Amino acid sequence: SKLELAREDGEAAFDLPELIRTTIDVLRAKASEKSLELRLELGPEVPQYIIGHAGRLRQVLLNLIVNALKFTDRGSVTVSVLSGGGEAPNCTLKFTVTDTGIGIADDIKPHIFEPFWSLSPTGEDEANAGTGLGLDIVRRNIFSAGGDVGVVSEQGSGSTFWFNWPAAVESAAPSASAEVASATESDSTNGISG
């Protein structure tokens, strides 16, 4: 079900840049269909390995990128990741998904993370609107990880969805069994907003 969240005990060590790159790679064809550039900007301080919920993070990124592609007809979608610091071994990762799309009107912004609330890509034709669950799932997954989420947007000027994701830094590569568990978890929880 689209409303299911990853299991509470699903934390494991995983390769963060690899998870982000493979998530973006899944959506490159969708971006190419619309002649959009899909970019990744990783800050130099972003850790290689973290401990956390890989499936939840992948689902958040998929939903945000899919929405950005859906509401953008020209230009680009950029995923940016920075480390916001924290006391070792903990850190807060700062993600943004920025598009050059239609933007969001001020009166709509307070509602976009509500369940079953949706808007079509044109802002008018409800036949093309999604289920209204994607951003609610994003919000719930981020809150369950202890993070926060928001949006900065102006109608006609694109949008930037941002979120903070607390994580523990893993200093060594995860074992093969942890990587398999992480991959299995992400495969079973990567619902995409529609």
Side-chain angles (χ1 to χ4, degrees):
S1 152
K2 269 188 132 178
L3 290 174
E4 284 182 13
L5 295 175
R7 294 184 322 269
E8 285 298 321
D9 61 352
E11 287 196 0
F14 63 92
D15 185 325
L16 176 64
E18 180 66 16
L19 178 130
I20 298 166
R21 284 186 190 100
T22 58
T23 302
I24 289 173
D25 287 347
V26 166
L27 299 171
R28 286 208 186 276
K30 189 180 221 39
S32 293
E33 288 172 10
K34 295 180 80 174
S35 299
L36 298 173
E37 186 178 357
L38 183 53
R39 298 187 298 229
L40 171 60
E41 297 173 356
L42 276 179
E45 70 288 352
V46 171
Q48 178 81 32
Y49 301 104
I50 65 169
I51 299 170
H53 291 275
R56 287 183 184 170
L57 181 56
R58 179 184 302 273
Q59 184 176 42
V60 166
L61 289 169
L62 281 169
N63 285 3
L64 291 177
I65 298 166
V66 164
N67 279 350
L69 293 170
K70 180 178 179 179
F71 290 95
T72 303
D73 289 328
R74 294 189 308 289
S76 63
V77 172
T78 303
V79 178
S80 174
V81 188
L82 299 171
S83 178
E87 287 205 26
N90 299 314
C91 72
T92 298
L93 300 166
K94 298 183 177 291
F95 289 81
T96 59
V97 177
T98 303
D99 65 60
T100 57
I102 63 172
I104 304 168
D106 287 339
D107 61 326
I108 293 173
K109 286 181 209 171
H111 305 288
I112 61 174
F113 292 103
E114 293 175 4
F116 305 109
W117 192 92
S118 65
L119 179 69
S120 71
T122 63
E124 300 165 3
D125 178 12
E126 289 302 314
N128 291 324
T131 61
L133 295 175
L135 290 177
D136 177 52
I137 291 170
V138 163
R139 179 188 56 83
R140 291 177 6 164
N141 276 332
I142 291 168
F143 285 0
S144 72
D148 198 11
V149 62
V151 63
V152 177
S153 183
E154 185 176 320
Q155 193 165 14
S157 298
S159 301
T160 297
F161 282 83
W162 61 266
F163 67 95
N164 298 323
W165 190 270
V169 176
E170 176 68 34
S171 58
S175 68
S177 62
E179 288 181 33
V180 169
S182 177
T184 303
E185 174 194 352
S186 68
D187 289 344
S188 67
T189 61
N190 66 3
I192 298 175
S193 66

mmCIF file of all heavy atoms in Angstrom, residues 71-123:
data_model
loop_
_atom_site.group_PDB
_atom_site.id
_atom_site.type_symbol
_atom_site.label_atom_id
_atom_site.label_comp_id
_atom_site.label_asym_id
_atom_site.label_seq_id
_atom_site.Cartn_x
_atom_site.Cartn_y
_atom_site.Cartn_z
ATOM 1 N N PHE A 71 5.948 18.663 -12.674
ATOM 2 C CA PHE A 71 5.530 20.055 -12.715
ATOM 3 C C PHE A 71 6.532 20.969 -13.427
ATOM 4 O O PHE A 71 6.454 22.187 -13.300
ATOM 5 C CB PHE A 71 5.263 20.565 -11.292
ATOM 6 C CG PHE A 71 4.034 19.958 -10.682
ATOM 7 C CD1 PHE A 71 4.122 18.839 -9.865
ATOM 8 C CD2 PHE A 71 2.778 20.483 -10.949
ATOM 9 C CE1 PHE A 71 2.986 18.268 -9.312
ATOM 10 C CE2 PHE A 71 1.634 19.911 -10.390
ATOM 11 C CZ PHE A 71 1.737 18.806 -9.577
ATOM 12 N N THR A 72 7.478 20.373 -14.154
ATOM 13 C CA THR A 72 8.488 21.155 -14.874
ATOM 14 C C THR A 72 8.450 20.792 -16.355
ATOM 15 O O THR A 72 8.578 19.618 -16.708
ATOM 16 C CB THR A 72 9.897 20.880 -14.299
ATOM 17 O OG1 THR A 72 9.887 21.170 -12.904
ATOM 18 C CG2 THR A 72 10.956 21.722 -14.988
ATOM 19 N N ASP A 73 8.275 21.795 -17.205
ATOM 20 C CA ASP A 73 8.244 21.568 -18.655
ATOM 21 C C ASP A 73 9.532 22.004 -19.347
ATOM 22 O O ASP A 73 9.853 21.511 -20.422
ATOM 23 C CB ASP A 73 7.064 22.304 -19.292
ATOM 24 C CG ASP A 73 5.733 21.659 -18.930
ATOM 25 O OD1 ASP A 73 5.707 20.423 -18.752
ATOM 26 O OD2 ASP A 73 4.744 22.398 -18.816
ATOM 27 N N ARG A 74 10.267 22.948 -18.752
ATOM 28 C CA ARG A 74 11.517 23.430 -19.336
ATOM 29 C C ARG A 74 12.555 23.607 -18.231
ATOM 30 O O ARG A 74 12.205 23.952 -17.111
ATOM 31 C CB ARG A 74 11.321 24.799 -20.005
ATOM 32 C CG ARG A 74 10.437 24.804 -21.206
ATOM 33 C CD ARG A 74 10.446 26.127 -21.970
ATOM 34 N NE ARG A 74 10.208 27.356 -21.256
ATOM 35 C CZ ARG A 74 9.046 27.758 -20.733
ATOM 36 N NH1 ARG A 74 8.009 26.983 -20.762
ATOM 37 N NH2 ARG A 74 8.935 28.929 -20.155
ATOM 38 N N GLY A 75 13.802 23.392 -18.582
ATOM 39 C CA GLY A 75 14.866 23.677 -17.630
ATOM 40 C C GLY A 75 15.430 22.445 -16.967
ATOM 41 O O GLY A 75 15.870 21.513 -17.638
ATOM 42 N N SER A 76 15.377 22.434 -15.629
ATOM 43 C CA SER A 76 16.089 21.384 -14.917
ATOM 44 C C SER A 76 15.459 21.067 -13.568
ATOM 45 O O SER A 76 14.643 21.820 -13.052
ATOM 46 C CB SER A 76 17.543 21.828 -14.685
ATOM 47 O OG SER A 76 17.566 22.977 -13.852
ATOM 48 N N VAL A 77 15.916 19.937 -13.040
ATOM 49 C CA VAL A 77 15.633 19.527 -11.664
ATOM 50 C C VAL A 77 16.995 19.207 -11.055
ATOM 51 O O VAL A 77 17.775 18.442 -11.634
ATOM 52 C CB VAL A 77 14.698 18.302 -11.605
ATOM 53 C CG1 VAL A 77 14.572 17.781 -10.178
ATOM 54 C CG2 VAL A 77 13.330 18.638 -12.186
ATOM 55 N N THR A 78 17.285 19.816 -9.913
ATOM 56 C CA THR A 78 18.581 19.625 -9.264
ATOM 57 C C THR A 78 18.388 19.083 -7.862
ATOM 58 O O THR A 78 17.624 19.650 -7.073
ATOM 59 C CB THR A 78 19.364 20.959 -9.191
ATOM 60 O OG1 THR A 78 19.521 21.473 -10.506
ATOM 61 C CG2 THR A 78 20.729 20.766 -8.546
ATOM 62 N N VAL A 79 19.082 17.992 -7.569
ATOM 63 C CA VAL A 79 19.104 17.422 -6.226
ATOM 64 C C VAL A 79 20.438 17.824 -5.615
ATOM 65 O O VAL A 79 21.497 17.572 -6.188
ATOM 66 C CB VAL A 79 18.980 15.883 -6.263
ATOM 67 C CG1 VAL A 79 19.065 15.304 -4.854
ATOM 68 C CG2 VAL A 79 17.694 15.466 -6.958
ATOM 69 N N SER A 80 20.366 18.473 -4.460
ATOM 70 C CA SER A 80 21.573 18.939 -3.783
ATOM 71 C C SER A 80 21.605 18.340 -2.379
ATOM 72 O O SER A 80 20.576 18.272 -1.703
ATOM 73 C CB SER A 80 21.545 20.468 -3.706
ATOM 74 O OG SER A 80 22.627 20.945 -2.935
ATOM 75 N N VAL A 81 22.801 17.914 -1.954
ATOM 76 C CA VAL A 81 22.963 17.322 -0.629
ATOM 77 C C VAL A 81 24.193 17.936 0.031
ATOM 78 O O VAL A 81 25.277 17.955 -0.557
ATOM 79 C CB VAL A 81 23.135 15.787 -0.686
ATOM 80 C CG1 VAL A 81 23.111 15.190 0.717
ATOM 81 C CG2 VAL A 81 22.085 15.147 -1.570
ATOM 82 N N LEU A 82 24.000 18.448 1.236
ATOM 83 C CA LEU A 82 25.089 19.013 2.032
ATOM 84 C C LEU A 82 25.044 18.395 3.421
ATOM 85 O O LEU A 82 23.987 17.955 3.870
ATOM 86 C CB LEU A 82 24.942 20.534 2.160
ATOM 87 C CG LEU A 82 24.965 21.340 0.876
ATOM 88 C CD1 LEU A 82 24.580 22.783 1.154
ATOM 89 C CD2 LEU A 82 26.336 21.265 0.229
ATOM 90 N N SER A 83 26.175 18.399 4.094
ATOM 91 C CA SER A 83 26.195 17.979 5.485
ATOM 92 C C SER A 83 26.062 19.224 6.341
ATOM 93 O O SER A 83 26.825 20.173 6.191
ATOM 94 C CB SER A 83 27.500 17.242 5.816
ATOM 95 O OG SER A 83 27.507 16.892 7.187
ATOM 96 N N GLY A 84 25.069 19.217 7.224
ATOM 97 C CA GLY A 84 24.826 20.363 8.090
ATOM 98 C C GLY A 84 25.562 20.284 9.409
ATOM 99 O O GLY A 84 25.260 21.027 10.323
ATOM 100 N N GLY A 85 26.515 19.393 9.492
ATOM 101 C CA GLY A 85 27.282 19.261 10.716
ATOM 102 C C GLY A 85 26.593 18.392 11.746
ATOM 103 O O GLY A 85 25.685 17.635 11.444
ATOM 104 N N GLY A 86 27.026 18.526 12.976
ATOM 105 C CA GLY A 86 26.539 17.698 14.072
ATOM 106 C C GLY A 86 27.735 17.148 14.822
ATOM 107 O O GLY A 86 28.865 17.234 14.357
ATOM 108 N N GLU A 87 27.487 16.591 15.987
ATOM 109 C CA GLU A 87 28.572 16.023 16.781
ATOM 110 C C GLU A 87 28.830 14.590 16.357
ATOM 111 O O GLU A 87 27.917 13.782 16.331
ATOM 112 C CB GLU A 87 28.226 16.087 18.266
ATOM 113 C CG GLU A 87 28.315 17.498 18.801
ATOM 114 C CD GLU A 87 28.588 17.517 20.284
ATOM 115 O OE1 GLU A 87 29.171 16.549 20.819
ATOM 116 O OE2 GLU A 87 28.215 18.515 20.892
ATOM 117 N N ALA A 88 30.088 14.286 16.013
ATOM 118 C CA ALA A 88 30.463 12.956 15.551
ATOM 119 C C ALA A 88 29.994 11.918 16.562
ATOM 120 O O ALA A 88 30.071 12.157 17.761
ATOM 121 C CB ALA A 88 31.967 12.874 15.352
ATOM 122 N N PRO A 89 29.471 10.817 16.111
ATOM 123 C CA PRO A 89 29.361 10.365 14.721
ATOM 124 C C PRO A 89 28.066 10.793 14.033
ATOM 125 O O PRO A 89 27.746 10.299 12.969
ATOM 126 C CB PRO A 89 29.408 8.842 14.856
ATOM 127 C CG PRO A 89 28.660 8.586 16.133
ATOM 128 C CD PRO A 89 29.023 9.765 17.034
ATOM 129 N N ASN A 90 27.313 11.705 14.637
ATOM 130 C CA ASN A 90 26.027 12.103 14.056
ATOM 131 C C ASN A 90 26.182 13.299 13.127
ATOM 132 O O ASN A 90 27.075 14.124 13.305
ATOM 133 C CB ASN A 90 25.033 12.437 15.165
ATOM 134 C CG ASN A 90 24.762 11.244 16.050
ATOM 135 O OD1 ASN A 90 24.546 10.144 15.551
ATOM 136 N ND2 ASN A 90 24.795 11.433 17.350
ATOM 137 N N CYS A 91 25.284 13.385 12.170
ATOM 138 C CA CYS A 91 25.261 14.530 11.275
ATOM 139 C C CYS A 91 23.821 14.766 10.824
ATOM 140 O O CYS A 91 22.969 13.886 10.950
ATOM 141 C CB CYS A 91 26.165 14.322 10.069
ATOM 142 S SG CYS A 91 25.572 13.133 8.857
ATOM 143 N N THR A 92 23.576 15.946 10.323
ATOM 144 C CA THR A 92 22.293 16.254 9.717
ATOM 145 C C THR A 92 22.554 16.535 8.254
ATOM 146 O O THR A 92 23.348 17.426 7.908
ATOM 147 C CB THR A 92 21.622 17.469 10.385
ATOM 148 O OG1 THR A 92 21.384 17.165 11.756
ATOM 149 C CG2 THR A 92 20.309 17.802 9.701
ATOM 150 N N LEU A 93 21.929 15.762 7.395
ATOM 151 C CA LEU A 93 22.072 15.947 5.958
ATOM 152 C C LEU A 93 20.997 16.906 5.492
ATOM 153 O O LEU A 93 19.835 16.792 5.894
ATOM 154 C CB LEU A 93 21.950 14.598 5.245
ATOM 155 C CG LEU A 93 22.990 13.577 5.671
ATOM 156 C CD1 LEU A 93 22.598 12.197 5.191
ATOM 157 C CD2 LEU A 93 24.359 13.975 5.151
ATOM 158 N N LYS A 94 21.379 17.849 4.654
ATOM 159 C CA LYS A 94 20.446 18.851 4.144
ATOM 160 C C LYS A 94 20.237 18.598 2.655
ATOM 161 O O LYS A 94 21.160 18.759 1.861
ATOM 162 C CB LYS A 94 20.993 20.246 4.398
ATOM 163 C CG LYS A 94 21.151 20.535 5.881
ATOM 164 C CD LYS A 94 21.617 21.944 6.131
ATOM 165 C CE LYS A 94 21.703 22.237 7.607
ATOM 166 N NZ LYS A 94 20.443 22.307 8.285
ATOM 167 N N PHE A 95 19.032 18.180 2.305
ATOM 168 C CA PHE A 95 18.671 17.869 0.922
ATOM 169 C C PHE A 95 17.791 18.982 0.366
ATOM 170 O O PHE A 95 16.935 19.512 1.069
ATOM 171 C CB PHE A 95 17.852 16.574 0.856
ATOM 172 C CG PHE A 95 18.627 15.322 1.148
ATOM 173 C CD1 PHE A 95 18.878 14.938 2.459
ATOM 174 C CD2 PHE A 95 19.060 14.507 0.121
ATOM 175 C CE1 PHE A 95 19.568 13.766 2.738
ATOM 176 C CE2 PHE A 95 19.743 13.332 0.388
ATOM 177 C CZ PHE A 95 20.000 12.964 1.700
ATOM 178 N N THR A 96 17.978 19.293 -0.918
ATOM 179 C CA THR A 96 17.030 20.145 -1.634
ATOM 180 C C THR A 96 16.759 19.513 -2.996
ATOM 181 O O THR A 96 17.649 18.905 -3.599
ATOM 182 C CB THR A 96 17.532 21.589 -1.851
ATOM 183 O OG1 THR A 96 18.749 21.564 -2.590
ATOM 184 C CG2 THR A 96 17.736 22.317 -0.537
ATOM 185 N N VAL A 97 15.530 19.643 -3.449
ATOM 186 C CA VAL A 97 15.143 19.257 -4.801
ATOM 187 C C VAL A 97 14.542 20.522 -5.408
ATOM 188 O O VAL A 97 13.474 20.972 -4.997
ATOM 189 C CB VAL A 97 14.136 18.091 -4.818
ATOM 190 C CG1 VAL A 97 13.709 17.768 -6.246
ATOM 191 C CG2 VAL A 97 14.739 16.852 -4.148
ATOM 192 N N THR A 98 15.270 21.104 -6.356
ATOM 193 C CA THR A 98 14.894 22.386 -6.949
ATOM 194 C C THR A 98 14.516 22.188 -8.397
ATOM 195 O O THR A 98 15.240 21.528 -9.150
ATOM 196 C CB THR A 98 16.067 23.380 -6.845
ATOM 197 O OG1 THR A 98 16.425 23.516 -5.459
ATOM 198 C CG2 THR A 98 15.697 24.746 -7.419
ATOM 199 N N ASP A 99 13.388 22.782 -8.800
ATOM 200 C CA ASP A 99 12.963 22.683 -10.194
ATOM 201 C C ASP A 99 12.717 24.071 -10.773
ATOM 202 O O ASP A 99 12.635 25.055 -10.043
ATOM 203 C CB ASP A 99 11.708 21.808 -10.333
ATOM 204 C CG ASP A 99 10.487 22.391 -9.656
ATOM 205 O OD1 ASP A 99 10.063 23.503 -10.031
ATOM 206 O OD2 ASP A 99 9.933 21.731 -8.758
ATOM 207 N N THR A 100 12.618 24.126 -12.087
ATOM 208 C CA THR A 100 12.329 25.368 -12.800
ATOM 209 C C THR A 100 10.900 25.339 -13.335
ATOM 210 O O THR A 100 10.603 25.914 -14.367
ATOM 211 C CB THR A 100 13.329 25.582 -13.953
ATOM 212 O OG1 THR A 100 13.273 24.441 -14.822
ATOM 213 C CG2 THR A 100 14.749 25.754 -13.439
ATOM 214 N N GLY A 101 10.034 24.661 -12.594
ATOM 215 C CA GLY A 101 8.661 24.421 -13.032
ATOM 216 C C GLY A 101 7.694 25.551 -12.738
ATOM 217 O O GLY A 101 8.081 26.717 -12.600
ATOM 218 N N ILE A 102 6.421 25.179 -12.590
ATOM 219 C CA ILE A 102 5.331 26.156 -12.502
ATOM 220 C C ILE A 102 5.251 26.859 -11.148
ATOM 221 O O ILE A 102 4.572 27.866 -11.019
ATOM 222 C CB ILE A 102 3.962 25.504 -12.823
ATOM 223 C CG1 ILE A 102 3.602 24.423 -11.796
ATOM 224 C CG2 ILE A 102 3.943 24.977 -14.237
ATOM 225 C CD1 ILE A 102 2.192 23.877 -11.949
ATOM 226 N N GLY A 103 5.923 26.343 -10.137
ATOM 227 C CA GLY A 103 5.865 26.956 -8.820
ATOM 228 C C GLY A 103 4.552 26.651 -8.114
ATOM 229 O O GLY A 103 3.677 25.978 -8.648
ATOM 230 N N ILE A 104 4.442 27.165 -6.898
ATOM 231 C CA ILE A 104 3.275 26.891 -6.057
ATOM 232 C C ILE A 104 2.747 28.218 -5.523
ATOM 233 O O ILE A 104 3.503 29.012 -4.941
ATOM 234 C CB ILE A 104 3.654 25.964 -4.880
ATOM 235 C CG1 ILE A 104 4.280 24.666 -5.396
ATOM 236 C CG2 ILE A 104 2.435 25.670 -4.014
ATOM 237 C CD1 ILE A 104 4.935 23.819 -4.324
ATOM 238 N N ALA A 105 1.464 28.432 -5.694
ATOM 239 C CA ALA A 105 0.830 29.646 -5.192
ATOM 240 C C ALA A 105 0.839 29.659 -3.667
ATOM 241 O O ALA A 105 0.756 28.610 -3.019
ATOM 242 C CB ALA A 105 -0.604 29.743 -5.710
ATOM 243 N N ASP A 106 0.924 30.852 -3.085
ATOM 244 C CA ASP A 106 0.991 30.994 -1.628
ATOM 245 C C ASP A 106 -0.190 30.359 -0.905
ATOM 246 O O ASP A 106 -0.018 29.769 0.157
ATOM 247 C CB ASP A 106 1.078 32.478 -1.242
ATOM 248 C CG ASP A 106 2.450 33.069 -1.553
ATOM 249 O OD1 ASP A 106 3.423 32.303 -1.673
ATOM 250 O OD2 ASP A 106 2.533 34.310 -1.664
ATOM 251 N N ASP A 107 -1.390 30.445 -1.474
ATOM 252 C CA ASP A 107 -2.564 29.894 -0.799
ATOM 253 C C ASP A 107 -2.599 28.371 -0.809
ATOM 254 O O ASP A 107 -3.318 27.754 -0.031
ATOM 255 C CB ASP A 107 -3.859 30.462 -1.400
ATOM 256 C CG ASP A 107 -4.042 30.126 -2.870
ATOM 257 O OD1 ASP A 107 -3.026 30.053 -3.603
ATOM 258 O OD2 ASP A 107 -5.202 29.939 -3.294
ATOM 259 N N ILE A 108 -1.794 27.754 -1.650
ATOM 260 C CA ILE A 108 -1.743 26.293 -1.755
ATOM 261 C C ILE A 108 -0.673 25.689 -0.843
ATOM 262 O O ILE A 108 -0.841 24.586 -0.324
ATOM 263 C CB ILE A 108 -1.492 25.883 -3.226
ATOM 264 C CG1 ILE A 108 -2.695 26.264 -4.078
ATOM 265 C CG2 ILE A 108 -1.181 24.408 -3.356
ATOM 266 C CD1 ILE A 108 -2.484 26.062 -5.558
ATOM 267 N N LYS A 109 0.416 26.398 -0.623
ATOM 268 C CA LYS A 109 1.559 25.861 0.127
ATOM 269 C C LYS A 109 1.188 25.210 1.465
ATOM 270 O O LYS A 109 1.713 24.144 1.776
ATOM 271 C CB LYS A 109 2.605 26.948 0.362
ATOM 272 C CG LYS A 109 3.397 27.297 -0.853
ATOM 273 C CD LYS A 109 4.424 28.358 -0.512
ATOM 274 C CE LYS A 109 4.726 29.201 -1.708
ATOM 275 N NZ LYS A 109 5.538 30.358 -1.392
ATOM 276 N N PRO A 110 0.287 25.808 2.270
ATOM 277 C CA PRO A 110 -0.020 25.177 3.563
ATOM 278 C C PRO A 110 -0.670 23.797 3.446
ATOM 279 O O PRO A 110 -0.707 23.044 4.410
ATOM 280 C CB PRO A 110 -0.991 26.160 4.232
ATOM 281 C CG PRO A 110 -0.803 27.452 3.526
ATOM 282 C CD PRO A 110 -0.381 27.111 2.127
ATOM 283 N N HIS A 111 -1.169 23.436 2.259
ATOM 284 C CA HIS A 111 -1.928 22.193 2.098
ATOM 285 C C HIS A 111 -1.155 21.067 1.422
ATOM 286 O O HIS A 111 -1.607 19.923 1.442
ATOM 287 C CB HIS A 111 -3.200 22.469 1.292
ATOM 288 C CG HIS A 111 -4.034 23.549 1.892
ATOM 289 N ND1 HIS A 111 -4.757 23.374 3.055
ATOM 290 C CD2 HIS A 111 -4.226 24.829 1.502
ATOM 291 C CE1 HIS A 111 -5.363 24.498 3.354
ATOM 292 N NE2 HIS A 111 -5.066 25.405 2.436
ATOM 293 N N ILE A 112 -0.020 21.349 0.827
ATOM 294 C CA ILE A 112 0.604 20.352 -0.052
ATOM 295 C C ILE A 112 1.086 19.088 0.652
ATOM 296 O O ILE A 112 1.199 18.053 0.016
ATOM 297 C CB ILE A 112 1.743 20.960 -0.905
ATOM 298 C CG1 ILE A 112 2.848 21.502 -0.006
ATOM 299 C CG2 ILE A 112 1.208 22.010 -1.849
ATOM 300 C CD1 ILE A 112 4.057 21.971 -0.781
ATOM 301 N N PHE A 113 1.350 19.149 1.946
ATOM 302 C CA PHE A 113 1.796 17.955 2.664
ATOM 303 C C PHE A 113 0.636 17.207 3.328
ATOM 304 O O PHE A 113 0.852 16.239 4.044
ATOM 305 C CB PHE A 113 2.864 18.311 3.703
ATOM 306 C CG PHE A 113 4.165 18.755 3.087
ATOM 307 C CD1 PHE A 113 4.505 20.097 3.047
ATOM 308 C CD2 PHE A 113 5.037 17.838 2.536
ATOM 309 C CE1 PHE A 113 5.698 20.518 2.480
ATOM 310 C CE2 PHE A 113 6.236 18.239 1.953
ATOM 311 C CZ PHE A 113 6.565 19.587 1.926
ATOM 312 N N GLU A 114 -0.600 17.652 3.103
ATOM 313 C CA GLU A 114 -1.771 16.991 3.666
ATOM 314 C C GLU A 114 -2.116 15.741 2.856
ATOM 315 O O GLU A 114 -1.981 15.740 1.632
ATOM 316 C CB GLU A 114 -2.978 17.932 3.652
ATOM 317 C CG GLU A 114 -2.837 19.117 4.569
ATOM 318 C CD GLU A 114 -3.987 20.109 4.442
ATOM 319 O OE1 GLU A 114 -4.944 19.848 3.684
ATOM 320 O OE2 GLU A 114 -3.911 21.157 5.104
ATOM 321 N N PRO A 115 -2.588 14.670 3.526
ATOM 322 C CA PRO A 115 -2.974 13.468 2.779
ATOM 323 C C PRO A 115 -4.151 13.743 1.847
ATOM 324 O O PRO A 115 -5.053 14.505 2.177
ATOM 325 C CB PRO A 115 -3.351 12.459 3.859
ATOM 326 C CG PRO A 115 -3.440 13.214 5.137
ATOM 327 C CD PRO A 115 -2.761 14.534 4.959
ATOM 328 N N PHE A 116 -4.091 13.130 0.683
ATOM 329 C CA PHE A 116 -5.138 13.166 -0.338
ATOM 330 C C PHE A 116 -5.334 14.546 -0.967
ATOM 331 O O PHE A 116 -6.328 14.789 -1.632
ATOM 332 C CB PHE A 116 -6.474 12.613 0.192
ATOM 333 C CG PHE A 116 -6.331 11.238 0.753
ATOM 334 C CD1 PHE A 116 -6.427 11.007 2.112
ATOM 335 C CD2 PHE A 116 -6.058 10.159 -0.090
ATOM 336 C CE1 PHE A 116 -6.267 9.734 2.629
ATOM 337 C CE2 PHE A 116 -5.904 8.885 0.420
ATOM 338 C CZ PHE A 116 -6.002 8.676 1.769
ATOM 339 N N TRP A 117 -4.380 15.437 -0.779
ATOM 340 C CA TRP A 117 -4.440 16.736 -1.430
ATOM 341 C C TRP A 117 -3.556 16.665 -2.671
ATOM 342 O O TRP A 117 -2.420 16.227 -2.605
ATOM 343 C CB TRP A 117 -3.949 17.840 -0.496
ATOM 344 C CG TRP A 117 -4.281 19.192 -1.036
ATOM 345 C CD1 TRP A 117 -5.394 19.908 -0.763
ATOM 346 C CD2 TRP A 117 -3.535 19.953 -1.972
ATOM 347 N NE1 TRP A 117 -5.389 21.084 -1.468
ATOM 348 C CE2 TRP A 117 -4.253 21.133 -2.236
ATOM 349 C CE3 TRP A 117 -2.331 19.754 -2.641
ATOM 350 C CZ2 TRP A 117 -3.824 22.110 -3.112
ATOM 351 C CZ3 TRP A 117 -1.892 20.720 -3.529
ATOM 352 C CH2 TRP A 117 -2.634 21.882 -3.745
ATOM 353 N N SER A 118 -4.080 17.070 -3.814
ATOM 354 C CA SER A 118 -3.260 16.990 -5.028
ATOM 355 C C SER A 118 -3.577 18.152 -5.959
ATOM 356 O O SER A 118 -4.615 18.802 -5.860
ATOM 357 C CB SER A 118 -3.480 15.661 -5.745
ATOM 358 O OG SER A 118 -4.804 15.572 -6.221
ATOM 359 N N LEU A 119 -2.653 18.370 -6.874
ATOM 360 C CA LEU A 119 -2.775 19.404 -7.890
ATOM 361 C C LEU A 119 -2.278 18.810 -9.190
ATOM 362 O O LEU A 119 -1.293 18.074 -9.212
ATOM 363 C CB LEU A 119 -1.918 20.619 -7.505
ATOM 364 C CG LEU A 119 -1.908 21.799 -8.460
ATOM 365 C CD1 LEU A 119 -3.284 22.477 -8.439
ATOM 366 C CD2 LEU A 119 -0.838 22.791 -8.057
ATOM 367 N N SER A 120 -2.936 19.123 -10.262
ATOM 368 C CA SER A 120 -2.491 18.626 -11.557
ATOM 369 C C SER A 120 -1.285 19.436 -12.019
ATOM 370 O O SER A 120 -1.049 20.538 -11.530
ATOM 371 C CB SER A 120 -3.622 18.742 -12.581
ATOM 372 O OG SER A 120 -3.838 20.095 -12.898
ATOM 373 N N PRO A 121 -0.504 18.921 -12.980
ATOM 374 C CA PRO A 121 0.661 19.652 -13.475
ATOM 375 C C PRO A 121 0.319 21.022 -14.058
ATOM 376 O O PRO A 121 1.132 21.922 -14.037
ATOM 377 C CB PRO A 121 1.243 18.728 -14.543
ATOM 378 C CG PRO A 121 0.798 17.373 -14.137
ATOM 379 C CD PRO A 121 -0.568 17.581 -13.516
ATOM 380 N N THR A 122 -0.882 21.203 -14.566
ATOM 381 C CA THR A 122 -1.267 22.503 -15.123
ATOM 382 C C THR A 122 -1.860 23.399 -14.062
ATOM 383 O O THR A 122 -2.046 24.588 -14.271
ATOM 384 C CB THR A 122 -2.315 22.328 -16.248
ATOM 385 O OG1 THR A 122 -3.492 21.747 -15.669
ATOM 386 C CG2 THR A 122 -1.787 21.484 -17.367
ATOM 387 N N GLY A 123 -2.191 22.825 -12.911
ATOM 388 C CA GLY A 123 -2.827 23.578 -11.859
ATOM 389 C C GLY A 123 -4.326 23.691 -12.059
ATOM 390 O O GLY A 123 -5.034 24.270 -11.254
#
